[in-house]
Structures are given as structure tokens and as C-alpha cells.
Amino acid sequence: MERQELTVAEYLAHLRRHPLPAILSTECLAAMSNIEKQYGKMPAELTGLEVRLTEAVRHVDYILKINDTNIPAVEELWYELDYEEFAKGGSLEPCLFANTSHFFADGGKQEVLWEQMLPAFLGKRRAEKLRQPLEQVMAALPEGAYIKQMGTMNSRGELDIMRLVIWFPSWESVFPGVKALGWPGDREALQAALQPWQDMEGIAINLDLGEQGILPKIGVELFFSWRHPLLVDKLIAWLEAVKLCLPEKGQALRQWIRIRPDGNPVIQPSIVYFKLNYKAGKITGAKAYLAQTPCLLHHYFDAYDRPVYAQIQLQDQTNTLPAGEALRWLEECADNRVRKVQFIGSRTYEPLGRLLAACRALGIEAEVLLTGEENRTWLEKNIRAGVAAFLIEADTVETWLPTVKILRELQFPDVRVRWRMAPEMADRLQEISHLFAEDVGVKELILTGMRPGADGVFSHRELAKIAAFLWEYKKQATAGRDGKEQMQITVDPCFSALRAVLGGRDSTKNGNRGIARGCGAGRDHFCVNAGGRLTPCAYLDLDGEEASLAEYWESADRLQDLRTRDAQHARPSCAGCAYERRCLPCPVVAGKCYLPV
């Protein structure tokens, strides 16, 4: 899973775009501005919401996962901001949870724990008072159990105790384990109350530790590897059935896990775990821990919430897009968080400089697709105007080499080449890639085939040969080459068959899945054609009537058809292919693939 580093402000902006009134009242959302004031610029690995499922309250506690800490031997720190804390404003004091999993799993030294970590985390006085009872707990842990987190809740006035989150290796180890740790409650009653949940994949017990040992309060965290909404639905339904989740809260959870992910930057809503509160022989309440993660955890969705990028065709053989119309669509892109635009047909388009300046003002990355016919003066002019990247699309060296050499002389840093491969070029890939990387200094080589403009039919042998080269190239890039940045070689989504072959014949292990597994038309991008009409892709002649980008992306029938009826993308030869589930070929091109069934 590829993760990005996002700020708390970016996560909060995402949350505000997807309000869930049953969970978050307008007052709670407004109060989160206090979190943004204090932590908005802070990078977070993820953020989360603690939702009380059995209570009618419509506020949450807010959680941040921070990688950078000043506590010795602690790599991750969790901030939990209670609603009462961030609603009051002013300087906020979070509850803190230190991730100690790695420390204990790696056999961390005891002197580091007692002399460095705990005094820095708890304060010297509390660390000294709790040392003896903590030593007793650590000595009593059953085999395979470990302290997953240690917590302090100073903002709640709990100044002399600490929270322990203890991971148990199995359901059977929990109940003798809590007895050995000194929990003063009724172990048999606890086991009976938790019996319906014994099939959960993971369990962690929350215990409070005071100077006299383990205190009566106990919480039970239930973990599962499921992220797919249809599977998580089953857990929500079970919580509702046993009266641990109000119907309106359950419906809000279902909505949350069905929010389409953002694509740039990636943010995906999910549910990480549930927590049960226990007291006097009964489960008294339940909480859900919702997360916003900067990576994709599952592939249920057919498209991103908004396009990742837009193609704007400025000219074709018969039409020229008016500059005013192009500027209007750039503003639409900015309003809909489309952060990249690719201009097509720009070589003789006079107002291109105005569009590049507008992109810079709107915070949009502008990429210009080149034909190889552009001269030095034209390139210099548009570099000054603010172009962010050039993409050269070519099928022969002669087409692109002069342009790339000019850009190298101009010291332009972001030059990418999309190479329309013919099948016979599979045997020359190493030679060609060396030319791109060493002789002309291309930043990225994008391999494409089986798309409009690419010739020939690829056999499985040819695709397998390309895949073998790419595996070896990646291995060498990982090993490094004298500190020199190596050219990236990527595979165009249109070349879905090659992506599928790279993933292997076993569809359960093949990672080429989800939105990005192939044709992205109407899934991760759209196009404004030279006639000013919306279409899923520059190569798909499916004009839309919608007047706005939001309306088009959310409700256009043509896009819904592309997203939900994958069978129409496939050709008859795809039926029964070992790669069929992990391949989504371009719907425009026919007869370009003969993979084995």
C-alpha cells in the first residue's frame, strides 16, 4: 500500500465534504476548527473518529496518528482529543497513546524502558510510582501477549494511572491472562459476556494500571482484517441486532465506508476496529473507530470521488476550444479538486500561455502532451509560462529524440515519454530503456500498448518477456546505483494486459485491481474535447450534456455504464482468461491481446 503524507487540515477538509449528521452535529464539525488551529499543519499518518454507537450523542473524539515523536524508543504516537476538550477551544491537551508494539517485539532493552521511555512519556514521578506494578504485569503476560500501547489521559484528570492496551495471541489466552495480570473482576462473567465475539480475528484488552496494580475498568477491542463494505456490513448488523448500535448510527457507518476515496491525494474512509465496554457482567456499550487513511485498503469502488486529472483537448482536425471555455473548465477543475490537467493539441494553440498561467494561479499541475514537432522557441515560451511537465508520446526514436534533447539543453526537469510499443519491440526494451535513461535523461518512461495509436497484437510470450525485464529493472532500482536517480519505468493503465501479467496468474494474489487496474476513462479522469463537450476520455467519442463537472462525474449515464459493466470492455477472447478479473482493457481497441485461457 502506497501511503502519502497528509496534514491534519487536509483530513479535516475531507471530513467536512462528507458530513454524517447522525455522527457529527454541525456544532461538532464547527468545533473541529479548534483542532485545525493547533494541529492543522501537522503531518499525520491517519486520522480517526471515536463514535459512541449506543448513545444518541452526535459528537466524536478525534484521533491523530503521528510518526515523529520525541519519546525515546517510540516511533508512533496517537493523540486522542476528547470532544469536551476541543469544543472549549484554546490550547488543547490530548490523551496520548504510545505505540510500544515494536519495542517489545524487538526485545527492547529494559534500561531504555525505565530510564528513558517511561520518564519522557509519563513524567518522572508517575513512572517511578508505576514501575513496580508495571513490572508485575510484564512478568505475568501470557506467552505471545504484549503491550501494544501505553496511554496517559491527563486531560481527563487521570494523573496517577496509565492505560495499557494488551494484545492477546488467541481468544483462549484472554481470560486466564487477565486473571494472571491481576484484574479484580469476575473472569467467568467476562468470558460469558464476550462469548458471542470469540470469532473475531484479533482482540486487545484495555486495562488501567495504578500504584496498587490493575484497576476494575476494562475495555475490549475487536479487530478484523475486513475492509470491504459488504463484509463490514455484517459486523454492523450484528451490533444492531444485540442492541449495541443505534439504527441511525449503523446507517451512518454504512454511509462512511461507502464514500468513494479521493484520488489525489488518496484518502479512504474505513472502520479499523470496534470496542466493547464491560461492567458488572454485561457489555454496556460499543464504540466504532473510523479512520481516514492515505492509501487504498480495499477495491470495492468503481471510481474516485472526483477525477484525479483532466484531459483538455485544445484543437482537433475540425474544432478549436475557445480560450474562455477552456478557462471555465480549469476553474471547474479547481473547484472539484482536480489537481492535474493534461493539454492535448496545443502546438498551434495561441492562448496556451494564458491557460498555463491560469493553472499556476489555481494550483493545478499543467502537463502538455507533445508531438515531437515543437521547436525550441515554442518550448522556451511555455516553460516561462509555467508548464509543470511535458509528456512526449511517440512510437519511434526519430519522433521524440530532437525534442527531448532540446528540453535537456534547457535543463527542464520533468520530461516523460509515453512509448507506444509494438509487439516486436519487446526484444529491444533493454536497449531502448538505456537510451531513454542514459543518453537523454528522461525522468519517466511509460510503456503503453493495446490502445488507440498503438499497433500490433501482443502474445503472452511478448508480455511475459516485458514483465521479466520490468521485474529485474525494479530490483536494480531498489538496490541503487551509486546514488544516481534512476529513470522510472511505469506501465500505462491502458496497457492493462501487461499490468495483469506483472501481477501473476493467481487472481487472489494479483495486485492489479480496483480503479487503477486498467482503463481509467470515467474512473480516474475525464476529457473536455475541442468541441467543448465532456467525454470519459480523449479517445472515447461519448459526448455528455451535463453543464458542470460535478453533475457529469456523479450522474452521467455514460460514466455509470463504463464503471459498472466491465463485460462491455472485454472482447470475446477475454472469456475464461486467467487474467480476466485483473484486466480492464481499453474499450476502443479490439483484437490486441491473446493471453492464454
Side-chain angles (χ1 to χ4, degrees):
M1 296 182 295
E2 184 178 347
R3 289 179 176 266
Q4 305 162 89
E5 187 174 86
L6 307 181
T7 64
V8 173
E10 289 177 290
Y11 288 112
L12 286 171
H14 175 270
L15 189 61
R16 293 181 184 116
R17 290 194 295 270
H18 303 285
L20 296 172
I23 290 175
L24 291 166
S25 66
T26 54
E27 293 80 9
C28 182
L29 272 174
M32 287 180 176
S33 62
N34 295 323
I35 298 174
E36 189 164 3
K37 288 176 184 176
Q38 185 161 325
Y39 298 108
K41 296 181 180 179
M42 178 184 288
E45 186 171 333
L46 63 79
T47 60
L49 308 175
E50 181 188 87
V51 180
R52 296 166 177 82
L53 300 179
T54 43
E55 301 175 31
V57 297
R58 296 192 299 125
H59 59 252
V60 299
D61 297 341
Y62 194 76
I63 299 168
L64 313 173
K65 183 182 180 183
I66 309 299
N67 278 335
D68 184 21
T69 79
N70 295 317
I71 300 170
V74 173
E75 298 177 1
E76 296 173 350
L77 199 62
W78 297 78
Y79 292 18
E80 183 172 334
L81 290 154
D82 293 341
Y83 171 68
E84 293 76 13
E85 180 70 16
F86 68 78
K88 68 180 177 59
S91 179
L92 307 183
E93 183 178 10
C95 300
L96 298 177
F97 290 84
N99 186 344
T100 53
S101 301
H102 299 301
F103 177 82
F104 289 111
D106 297 340
K109 295 180 179 179
Q110 293 297 301
E111 58 266 27
V112 173
L113 175 67
W114 303 118
E115 297 173 13
Q116 299 179 42
M117 181 199 296
L118 290 180
F121 182 59
L122 299 174
K124 186 175 180 181
R125 175 180 168 275
R126 182 166 23 177
E128 290 175 350
K129 290 178 66 175
L130 297 181
R131 175 166 181 166
Q132 182 177 352
L134 182 56
E135 286 180 325
Q136 293 171 348
V137 166
M138 292 170 59
L141 284 171
E143 184 178 357
Y146 59 89
I147 300 174
K148 179 173 175 279
Q149 291 179 335
M150 296 180 177
T152 64
M153 285 160 282
N154 295 352
S155 61
R156 300 178 188 175
E158 299 177 2
L159 304 179
D160 295 318
I161 65 174
M162 66 184 297
R163 172 70 53 85
L164 300 178
V165 180
I166 301 174
W167 182 270
F168 284 85
S170 66
W171 176 264
E172 292 76 17
S173 67
V174 171
F175 306 103
V178 295
K179 181 179 181 181
L181 296 175
W183 179 61
D186 186 330
R187 178 172 62 90
E188 286 75 18
L190 175 67
Q191 184 169 359
L194 294 178
Q195 191 68 26
W197 307 95
Q198 63 178 320
D199 292 330
M200 297 298 291
E201 294 178 61
I203 184 168
I205 300 296
N206 291 199
L207 297 168
D208 287 342
L209 181 70
E211 194 172 358
Q212 304 305 316
I214 296 293
L215 302 177
K217 184 177 180 180
I218 189 169
V220 182
E221 296 178 356
L222 302 173
F223 290 86
F224 47 91
S225 60
W226 298 342
R227 294 294 179 263
H228 194 291
L230 296 180
L231 297 176
V232 180
D233 282 349
K234 297 180 180 180
L235 291 175
I236 298 171
W238 176 245
L239 286 164
E240 290 173 327
V242 296
K243 308 300 182 185
L244 288 176
C245 180
L246 297 174
E248 61 271 24
K249 295 286 182 83
Q251 186 57 30
L253 296 186
R254 294 182 181 93
Q255 288 179 250
W256 174 258
I257 58 179
R258 283 170 171 78
I259 295 172
R260 281 182 171 145
D262 279 7
N264 183 21
V266 171
I267 299 179
Q268 184 172 55
S270 64
I271 300 176
V272 181
Y273 66 95
F274 294 100
K275 181 178 177 181
L276 305 179
N277 296 327
Y278 172 86
K279 187 176 182 180
K282 295 181 180 180
I283 304 298
T284 58
K287 299 176 181 178
Y289 288 80
L290 281 54
Q292 296 168 289
T293 57
C295 61
L296 296 179
L297 300 175
H298 63 82
H299 301 284
Y300 168 80
F301 297 100
D302 54 13
Y304 290 113
D305 184 60
R306 284 293 184 270
V308 173
Y309 73 99
Q311 298 170 320
I312 297 184
Q313 187 180 38
L314 302 175
Q315 290 179 315
D316 62 17
Q317 293 179 342
T318 57
N319 298 299
T320 296
L321 186 67
E325 186 76 355
L327 289 168
R328 181 177 78 83
W329 284 114
L330 287 177
E331 290 173 356
E332 282 263 334
C333 286
D335 290 343
N336 285 275
R337 310 185 312 281
V338 180
R339 301 189 180 190
K340 180 178 178 179
V341 167
Q342 182 185 87
F343 292 111
I344 302 171
S346 61
R347 189 170 67 87
T348 61
Y349 189 80
E350 189 60 32
L352 178 60
R354 287 177 57 194
L355 303 187
L356 295 175
C359 286
R360 187 164 51 186
L362 293 168
I364 295 173
E365 177 188 345
E367 179 178 76
V368 174
L369 183 65
L370 302 180
T371 63
E373 301 175 16
E374 295 78 9
N375 59 38
R376 186 185 188 97
T377 301
W378 189 93
L379 293 169
E380 286 180 317
K381 175 184 175 182
N382 289 297
I383 290 172
R384 289 194 300 270
V387 65
F390 286 116
L391 175 63
I392 301 171
E393 189 165 69
D395 49 13
T396 64
V397 173
E398 292 76 15
T399 305
W400 57 262
L401 192 55
T403 304
V404 174
K405 286 184 175 179
I406 293 172
L407 290 171
R408 187 176 188 180
E409 291 169 3
L410 295 174
Q411 298 183 332
F412 187 77
D414 198 346
V415 180
R416 305 188 303 145
V417 173
R418 185 162 61 198
W419 181 28
R420 294 193 296 259
M421 290 188 68
E424 61 270 17
M425 298 304 290
D427 294 324
R428 295 186 58 200
L429 183 53
Q430 183 170 358
E431 170 196 343
I432 297 296
S433 64
H434 184 274
L435 175 65
F436 280 110
E438 302 298 335
D439 294 355
V440 293
V442 168
K443 180 178 180 179
E444 181 182 8
L445 172 61
I446 305 167
L447 304 182
T448 192
M450 299 165 61
R451 68 190 296 272
D455 298 325
V457 176
F458 284 84
S459 68
H460 183 265
R461 185 197 71 81
E462 290 156 341
L463 292 173
K465 190 161 190 173
I466 298 170
F469 169 79
L470 293 176
W471 287 324
E472 183 61 29
Y473 188 89
K474 183 177 181 180
K475 187 188 302 181
Q476 292 178 6
T478 303
R481 292 170 46 190
D482 302 325
K484 181 180 179 181
E485 184 178 358
Q486 190 164 359
M487 178 185 72
Q488 294 183 42
I489 301 182
T490 58
V491 180
D492 189 27
C494 294
F495 208 171
S496 185
L498 176 55
R499 286 189 168 204
V501 170
L502 280 165
R505 292 175 64 93
D506 185 346
S507 63
T508 63
K509 298 178 181 178
N510 192 314
N512 191 52
R513 58 183 70 195
I515 299 169
R517 76 182 186 277
C519 174
R523 295 169 179 265
D524 65 10
H525 73 273
F526 76 104
C527 177
V528 180
N529 65 24
R533 306 290 290 276
L534 297 177
T535 185
C537 174
Y539 298 104
L540 275 174
D541 188 18
L542 296 171
D543 289 357
E545 301 289 341
E546 291 77 13
S548 73
L549 171 53
E551 181 188 2
Y552 178 69
W553 196 254
E554 292 174 4
S555 59
D557 291 340
R558 289 155 300 286
L559 296 193
Q560 303 310 315
D561 189 55
L562 280 171
R563 294 167 182 169
T564 59
R565 297 173 65 185
D566 288 354
Q568 289 194 353
H569 292 244
R571 295 170 287 277
S573 61
C574 294
C577 176
Y579 300 98
E580 185 176 12
R581 290 180 58 196
R582 298 293 174 251
C583 184
L584 187 62
C586 172
V588 178
V589 181
K592 295 288 184 182
C593 177
Y594 291 108
L595 288 176
V597 297

